[in-house]
Amino acid sequence: MHANDTDLHAQGASTFIDDMPEPAGLLHACPVVSGIAHGLIESIDLNDALACPGVVTILLAKDIPGGNNIGNVEAGEVLLAEQEVVYQGQPVAVVVAESDAVARQAAGLVRICYKELPAVFDARTAHAQGLHIAPPRIFSLGDVDQAWRDCDVIVEGSAASGAQEHVYLETQVAVVYPLENEGLKVFSATQSPGMVQRVIARVLDCAMNRVEVDVLRLGGAFGGKEEQATGWAAMAALAAGRLQKPVKVRLNRGEDMRWTGKRHPYDSDFKIGLDKTGRILAYEVCFYQNAGAVADLSLAILERTLFHASNSYFIPNVRATAISCRTHLPPNTAFRGFGGPQAMFALEAAIFKAAAAMHVDPAHIQRWNLLQEGQPFPYGMPAENCRAQRCWQQLHDRFDLPRRQQAIDNFNAGHSLEKKALALMPICFGISFTATFLNQASALVHVYADGSVSVSCGAVEMGQGVKEKIRHVAARTLGIDKARIKVESTNTARIANMSPTAASVGADLNGQATLLACQRILQGLKTVAARLAGGEPEQISIEQEPVCLDGRPTATGWNKLVSEAYLSRTPLSAHAHYATPKVFFDRSTERGRPFAYHVYGCAAVEVAIDCLRGTYRVTGVSIVHDGGRSLAPDIDRGQVEGGVVQGLGWMTLEEVRHDGQGRLLTDSLTAYKIPDLYFAPDIAVEFLDGDNPAAVMHSKAVGEPPLMYGIGGYFALVKAIRAFNPDWQPGFSAPMTPEKVLLALYECGC
Ligand code: MTE
Ligand code: LUZ
Ligand code: MOS
């Protein structure tokens, strides 16, 4: 009997890298990082550090046998800085010692002298100085310049959304074991085992088949381990390869917060034009993305920002410009939503401002412009199986929104120092990697002679329940009990060239590959079953264990069938590959069909403010979410609830602050506030079911989209503030912390 991950977690029986028994002779590596945001390295003095008892060696860029590059985009994505440092927290050296404590202590004794250079920390300043990661990209639809003439109302403004720290429970960690024949076995807490393998081979200048990366599970990732787990694993591999000893790298919470990138802050300028009925005729937006010091995934994230510039609305004339700005902060990186949330925040700000100018509720404009079947996105793809209207309608009907709005109005009329508000947040999220080649996966399935089943695939379990979904797919395809199925660790020796588990497609891609591999085994089994039970293979099915002939159970069960198949030398293993069909994108025209499908949904977020203190509560969230035929309803519900709370945190409490030198001030959970169970509102989720021929067993991806419901929390707070202080003109700068709420309540409009 094989327990699922959730049960193991609940029992405290699931193991993470830091729980693995440490082998004799294990060495600990601690990075030495830049203490300044920008400068040239003039000298590095290792003497005091090397004199520490227990220090084994200290590695610098010159000790890297292969390429000093851990990225995919630009040469500056170095493992260890050589001449120039470009952010506080950038690794310069690696101290290797017999204990973690000694490594850390010695790291503090490495003295680096710099010639300091000017540093920039915000996107607009970087843009003004011409500091860009790449040239701007522009998506356009219709003719914006012409369309302004037909508008009755035009408003302009700006919107800024902040960074967000991932706060995965398990911090960055890797352990690397040297093997015979120049091999390495790598345990890394990464969403991208294939990338860790490729980068370690590059850094050590060896073939990829020398490097085996294994991932059992992650203690959360949220995008923070898609690209940024790689460097730490590469440092451990560098040391392990050189010293031929096992080496561990593990960041503590403060280091993890200071040294790794976050969700990208965005500054955006918008202009929106509507006719007098509230129909949006034109939308122009320019996104300034704060990329941090090197490219990382910023350009892919920026591209997804463009793909989501019009969210779940149809806007006939759009021009969206996106500029990735280079600053001297740790490289910002993937975070649930991957640039989509930033785009949606800017558009909701524009809609809010237009609604205020027209003296209507923003919901009126939102409703009036929701996407309909066949209408195009700004990249040319038409909306197919569009659920935007249905989600909105069902939310209103099932959760009785008009009555709730009335109750809020009554409450506000009767209370002078407490105000409530409700805001709606429709979402539409494109499902597929926007880099088309990443939309592939493979699976390797073994049926053992005792009838138990082993599934290997490229999906990394990080708490999102992908392993449980894969088990479900295998069990249903083979027609057997889920308890027989074990999903193995994610391992590069069993699965080659795997894509990261990201973009919410972990279950879509790996599930479909698993289904294909199971079908292959099933084919052979049916031939054996037809011999045992009579009839032709086409008449055979396996349903909840027994072998059926024309749908009727026979005397043969799964165990007997498998044992007969083995004795008759029928293959009981299969490998299958899946590539998402019909996705493509042409970057020269910015047109294509980048997504297999879209996920829709709509949320109503209700808040209450104490207008004396500025404190607030998110009192309730109601959601209709476009779920498809779920592979695991409880998991999907958990994903929606967790996503909403994470999105609300980004929009309300979570504020990343640096000092004037680029030093992170909010480097612990006492300064960086995240939502907890007490903050979390009541969340009511209703799933809109339906077919989805574009994903495995008609399911739908669920990982990222619900985060964006949290944006409704920001606008609900803005509405509640305006119920108290009607003259206040919101500046649209998220997060809306209690401090900002208090100031807004008493800011005068003149
Ligand atoms: N849920 C949990 N519990 N932990 C996580 O780290 N990551 C999110 C989402 N849900 C995450 C999570 C992100 S960013 C993505 S892309 C998806 O899960 C990835 O998994 P999937 O593709 O299997 O949905
Ligand atoms: N990662 C990536 C992603 O490489 N490409 C994507 O399109 C993507 N989308 C969401 C999250 N991660
Ligand atoms: Mo998720 S941001 O695609 O890891």
Side-chain angles (χ1 to χ4, degrees), residues 590-625:
E590 306 287 27
R591 284 286 180 279
R593 190 179 182 283
F595 302 117
Y597 61 95
H598 290 81
V599 166
Y600 297 88
C602 193
V605 183
E606 216 174 301
V607 300
I609 311 190
D610 173 334
C611 301
L612 264 184
R613 296 171 183 81
T615 53
Y616 55 76
R617 282 195 53 76
V618 181
T619 46
V621 181
S622 314
I623 295 167
V624 172
H625 185 83

Short mmCIF file of all heavy atoms in Angstrom, two decimals, residues 590-625:
data_model
loop_
_atom_site.label_atom_id
_atom_site.label_comp_id
_atom_site.label_asym_id
_atom_site.label_seq_id
_atom_site.Cartn_x
_atom_site.Cartn_y
_atom_site.Cartn_z
N GLU A 590 4.73 38.81 -33.47
CA GLU A 590 4.04 38.75 -32.17
C GLU A 590 2.62 38.19 -32.35
O GLU A 590 1.66 38.66 -31.74
CB GLU A 590 4.01 40.12 -31.47
CG GLU A 590 5.37 40.79 -31.29
CD GLU A 590 6.29 40.16 -30.22
OE1 GLU A 590 6.16 38.95 -29.94
OE2 GLU A 590 7.16 40.89 -29.70
N ARG A 591 2.51 37.17 -33.18
CA ARG A 591 1.23 36.53 -33.42
C ARG A 591 1.40 35.02 -33.31
O ARG A 591 2.46 34.49 -33.66
CB ARG A 591 0.72 36.84 -34.84
CG ARG A 591 0.15 38.25 -35.03
CD ARG A 591 -1.21 38.35 -34.36
NE ARG A 591 -1.85 39.66 -34.48
CZ ARG A 591 -1.59 40.72 -33.71
NH1 ARG A 591 -0.63 40.68 -32.80
NH2 ARG A 591 -2.28 41.83 -33.86
N GLY A 592 0.35 34.34 -32.87
CA GLY A 592 0.41 32.88 -32.84
C GLY A 592 -0.65 32.31 -31.93
O GLY A 592 -1.62 32.99 -31.55
N ARG A 593 -0.44 31.05 -31.62
CA ARG A 593 -1.36 30.33 -30.72
C ARG A 593 -0.48 29.74 -29.61
O ARG A 593 -0.16 28.55 -29.61
CB ARG A 593 -2.07 29.24 -31.51
CG ARG A 593 -3.20 28.59 -30.76
CD ARG A 593 -3.91 27.53 -31.60
NE ARG A 593 -5.03 26.97 -30.85
CZ ARG A 593 -4.88 26.07 -29.88
NH1 ARG A 593 -3.71 25.60 -29.56
NH2 ARG A 593 -5.95 25.64 -29.22
N PRO A 594 -0.03 30.61 -28.68
CA PRO A 594 0.98 30.16 -27.72
C PRO A 594 0.43 29.19 -26.67
O PRO A 594 1.22 28.48 -26.04
CB PRO A 594 1.43 31.46 -27.05
CG PRO A 594 0.29 32.40 -27.23
CD PRO A 594 -0.35 32.05 -28.53
N PHE A 595 -0.89 29.18 -26.46
CA PHE A 595 -1.45 28.40 -25.36
C PHE A 595 -2.36 27.28 -25.86
O PHE A 595 -3.11 27.46 -26.83
CB PHE A 595 -2.26 29.31 -24.43
CG PHE A 595 -1.43 30.44 -23.85
CD1 PHE A 595 -1.73 31.76 -24.13
CD2 PHE A 595 -0.33 30.16 -23.05
CE1 PHE A 595 -0.96 32.80 -23.61
CE2 PHE A 595 0.45 31.20 -22.52
CZ PHE A 595 0.13 32.51 -22.81
N ALA A 596 -2.29 26.14 -25.17
CA ALA A 596 -3.18 25.03 -25.51
C ALA A 596 -4.63 25.40 -25.18
O ALA A 596 -5.55 25.01 -25.87
CB ALA A 596 -2.76 23.78 -24.74
N TYR A 597 -4.80 26.18 -24.13
CA TYR A 597 -6.13 26.63 -23.72
C TYR A 597 -5.97 27.69 -22.64
O TYR A 597 -4.84 27.97 -22.22
CB TYR A 597 -6.99 25.46 -23.19
CG TYR A 597 -6.42 24.75 -21.99
CD1 TYR A 597 -6.81 25.08 -20.70
CD2 TYR A 597 -5.47 23.73 -22.13
CE1 TYR A 597 -6.28 24.44 -19.59
CE2 TYR A 597 -4.93 23.08 -21.03
CZ TYR A 597 -5.34 23.44 -19.76
OH TYR A 597 -4.81 22.82 -18.66
N HIS A 598 -7.07 28.29 -22.22
CA HIS A 598 -7.04 29.28 -21.14
C HIS A 598 -7.88 28.78 -19.96
O HIS A 598 -8.85 28.05 -20.15
CB HIS A 598 -7.60 30.63 -21.61
CG HIS A 598 -6.70 31.34 -22.59
ND1 HIS A 598 -6.69 31.02 -23.93
CD2 HIS A 598 -5.80 32.33 -22.42
CE1 HIS A 598 -5.80 31.81 -24.54
NE2 HIS A 598 -5.26 32.61 -23.65
N VAL A 599 -7.50 29.21 -18.77
CA VAL A 599 -8.29 28.95 -17.57
C VAL A 599 -8.96 30.26 -17.17
O VAL A 599 -8.31 31.32 -17.15
CB VAL A 599 -7.40 28.45 -16.42
CG1 VAL A 599 -8.13 28.49 -15.09
CG2 VAL A 599 -6.92 27.03 -16.71
N TYR A 600 -10.24 30.20 -16.89
CA TYR A 600 -11.01 31.38 -16.52
C TYR A 600 -11.48 31.28 -15.07
O TYR A 600 -11.39 30.23 -14.45
CB TYR A 600 -12.24 31.52 -17.43
CG TYR A 600 -11.89 31.74 -18.87
CD1 TYR A 600 -11.68 30.67 -19.73
CD2 TYR A 600 -11.75 33.03 -19.38
CE1 TYR A 600 -11.35 30.86 -21.07
CE2 TYR A 600 -11.42 33.24 -20.71
CZ TYR A 600 -11.23 32.15 -21.55
OH TYR A 600 -10.89 32.35 -22.87
N GLY A 601 -12.02 32.38 -14.58
CA GLY A 601 -12.60 32.35 -13.25
C GLY A 601 -12.99 33.75 -12.84
O GLY A 601 -12.66 34.73 -13.52
N CYS A 602 -13.73 33.81 -11.74
CA CYS A 602 -14.11 35.12 -11.23
C CYS A 602 -14.24 35.04 -9.71
O CYS A 602 -14.74 34.04 -9.18
CB CYS A 602 -15.42 35.58 -11.85
SG CYS A 602 -15.74 37.34 -11.55
N ALA A 603 -13.75 36.08 -9.05
CA ALA A 603 -13.80 36.11 -7.59
C ALA A 603 -14.48 37.38 -7.12
O ALA A 603 -14.41 38.42 -7.78
CB ALA A 603 -12.40 36.05 -6.99
N ALA A 604 -15.15 37.28 -5.97
CA ALA A 604 -15.67 38.45 -5.27
C ALA A 604 -14.94 38.51 -3.94
O ALA A 604 -14.95 37.56 -3.17
CB ALA A 604 -17.17 38.32 -5.03
N VAL A 605 -14.25 39.63 -3.71
CA VAL A 605 -13.45 39.77 -2.50
C VAL A 605 -14.07 40.86 -1.64
O VAL A 605 -14.32 41.97 -2.11
CB VAL A 605 -11.99 40.16 -2.82
CG1 VAL A 605 -11.15 40.23 -1.55
CG2 VAL A 605 -11.37 39.16 -3.81
N GLU A 606 -14.33 40.53 -0.38
CA GLU A 606 -14.99 41.47 0.52
C GLU A 606 -14.03 41.85 1.65
O GLU A 606 -13.36 40.98 2.20
CB GLU A 606 -16.23 40.78 1.12
CG GLU A 606 -17.39 41.72 1.32
CD GLU A 606 -18.64 40.98 1.78
OE1 GLU A 606 -19.11 40.08 1.06
OE2 GLU A 606 -19.12 41.31 2.87
N VAL A 607 -13.98 43.14 1.96
CA VAL A 607 -13.09 43.60 3.03
C VAL A 607 -13.84 44.51 4.00
O VAL A 607 -14.89 45.07 3.66
CB VAL A 607 -11.87 44.39 2.50
CG1 VAL A 607 -11.03 43.53 1.56
CG2 VAL A 607 -12.31 45.67 1.80
N ALA A 608 -13.27 44.67 5.18
CA ALA A 608 -13.80 45.60 6.18
C ALA A 608 -12.63 46.37 6.77
O ALA A 608 -11.61 45.78 7.13
CB ALA A 608 -14.53 44.83 7.28
N ILE A 609 -12.77 47.70 6.85
CA ILE A 609 -11.70 48.54 7.40
C ILE A 609 -12.16 49.19 8.69
O ILE A 609 -13.29 49.66 8.79
CB ILE A 609 -11.31 49.70 6.44
CG1 ILE A 609 -11.09 49.23 5.03
CG2 ILE A 609 -10.06 50.39 6.92
CD1 ILE A 609 -10.49 50.32 4.16
N ASP A 610 -11.24 49.23 9.64
CA ASP A 610 -11.43 50.02 10.84
C ASP A 610 -10.83 51.40 10.53
O ASP A 610 -9.61 51.53 10.41
CB ASP A 610 -10.69 49.33 12.01
CG ASP A 610 -10.70 50.18 13.29
OD1 ASP A 610 -10.80 51.42 13.20
OD2 ASP A 610 -10.57 49.58 14.37
N CYS A 611 -11.67 52.40 10.38
CA CYS A 611 -11.19 53.69 9.87
C CYS A 611 -10.51 54.55 10.92
O CYS A 611 -9.96 55.60 10.61
CB CYS A 611 -12.35 54.45 9.22
SG CYS A 611 -13.10 53.52 7.88
N LEU A 612 -10.51 54.12 12.17
CA LEU A 612 -9.72 54.82 13.19
C LEU A 612 -8.27 54.36 13.12
O LEU A 612 -7.35 55.15 13.21
CB LEU A 612 -10.26 54.51 14.59
CG LEU A 612 -11.22 55.51 15.20
CD1 LEU A 612 -11.57 55.08 16.62
CD2 LEU A 612 -10.62 56.92 15.20
N ARG A 613 -8.11 53.06 12.99
CA ARG A 613 -6.76 52.49 13.09
C ARG A 613 -6.12 52.17 11.74
O ARG A 613 -4.91 51.94 11.67
CB ARG A 613 -6.82 51.18 13.90
CG ARG A 613 -7.24 51.39 15.33
CD ARG A 613 -7.50 50.05 16.01
NE ARG A 613 -7.99 50.27 17.37
CZ ARG A 613 -9.26 50.57 17.66
NH1 ARG A 613 -10.16 50.66 16.70
NH2 ARG A 613 -9.62 50.78 18.90
N GLY A 614 -6.91 52.09 10.69
CA GLY A 614 -6.37 51.69 9.39
C GLY A 614 -6.23 50.19 9.26
O GLY A 614 -5.78 49.70 8.22
N THR A 615 -6.58 49.46 10.29
CA THR A 615 -6.48 48.00 10.18
C THR A 615 -7.64 47.49 9.35
O THR A 615 -8.69 48.13 9.24
CB THR A 615 -6.52 47.34 11.58
OG1 THR A 615 -7.67 47.83 12.27
CG2 THR A 615 -5.27 47.70 12.37
N TYR A 616 -7.42 46.36 8.74
CA TYR A 616 -8.48 45.81 7.89
C TYR A 616 -8.49 44.30 7.95
O TYR A 616 -7.53 43.67 8.40
CB TYR A 616 -8.30 46.27 6.44
CG TYR A 616 -6.95 45.96 5.81
CD1 TYR A 616 -6.64 44.66 5.39
CD2 TYR A 616 -6.00 46.96 5.60
CE1 TYR A 616 -5.41 44.38 4.81
CE2 TYR A 616 -4.78 46.68 5.02
CZ TYR A 616 -4.48 45.38 4.62
OH TYR A 616 -3.28 45.11 4.05
N ARG A 617 -9.59 43.75 7.49
CA ARG A 617 -9.70 42.30 7.34
C ARG A 617 -10.28 42.00 5.97
O ARG A 617 -11.17 42.70 5.50
CB ARG A 617 -10.64 41.71 8.39
CG ARG A 617 -10.00 41.57 9.76
CD ARG A 617 -10.84 40.66 10.65
NE ARG A 617 -11.12 39.36 10.01
CZ ARG A 617 -10.24 38.35 9.90
NH1 ARG A 617 -9.02 38.48 10.40
NH2 ARG A 617 -10.57 37.23 9.32
N VAL A 618 -9.74 40.96 5.33
CA VAL A 618 -10.41 40.41 4.16
C VAL A 618 -11.42 39.43 4.74
O VAL A 618 -11.05 38.43 5.36
CB VAL A 618 -9.43 39.70 3.21
CG1 VAL A 618 -10.18 39.17 2.00
CG2 VAL A 618 -8.33 40.66 2.78
N THR A 619 -12.69 39.77 4.61
CA THR A 619 -13.71 39.02 5.36
C THR A 619 -14.24 37.82 4.60
O THR A 619 -14.72 36.88 5.21
CB THR A 619 -14.87 39.95 5.75
OG1 THR A 619 -15.24 40.71 4.60
CG2 THR A 619 -14.45 40.89 6.86
N GLY A 620 -14.13 37.85 3.27
CA GLY A 620 -14.63 36.69 2.54
C GLY A 620 -14.24 36.75 1.08
O GLY A 620 -14.09 37.83 0.51
N VAL A 621 -14.02 35.58 0.51
CA VAL A 621 -13.76 35.49 -0.92
C VAL A 621 -14.66 34.40 -1.48
O VAL A 621 -14.68 33.28 -0.96
CB VAL A 621 -12.28 35.14 -1.21
CG1 VAL A 621 -12.04 35.07 -2.71
CG2 VAL A 621 -11.33 36.14 -0.58
N SER A 622 -15.42 34.74 -2.51
CA SER A 622 -16.25 33.74 -3.20
C SER A 622 -15.73 33.61 -4.62
O SER A 622 -15.41 34.62 -5.26
CB SER A 622 -17.71 34.18 -3.27
OG SER A 622 -18.12 34.65 -2.01
N ILE A 623 -15.65 32.38 -5.09
CA ILE A 623 -15.00 32.15 -6.38
C ILE A 623 -15.78 31.14 -7.21
O ILE A 623 -16.24 30.12 -6.69
CB ILE A 623 -13.57 31.58 -6.16
CG1 ILE A 623 -12.68 32.60 -5.45
CG2 ILE A 623 -12.94 31.15 -7.47
CD1 ILE A 623 -11.38 32.04 -4.93
N VAL A 624 -15.92 31.44 -8.48
CA VAL A 624 -16.29 30.39 -9.43
C VAL A 624 -15.08 30.18 -10.33
O VAL A 624 -14.61 31.10 -11.01
CB VAL A 624 -17.53 30.76 -10.25
CG1 VAL A 624 -17.76 29.73 -11.36
CG2 VAL A 624 -18.75 30.81 -9.33
N HIS A 625 -14.53 28.98 -10.25
CA HIS A 625 -13.28 28.68 -10.95
C HIS A 625 -13.51 27.61 -12.00
O HIS A 625 -14.12 26.57 -11.74
CB HIS A 625 -12.21 28.23 -9.94
CG HIS A 625 -10.88 28.01 -10.58
ND1 HIS A 625 -10.00 29.05 -10.81
CD2 HIS A 625 -10.28 26.89 -11.06
CE1 HIS A 625 -8.92 28.57 -11.40
NE2 HIS A 625 -9.07 27.26 -11.57
#
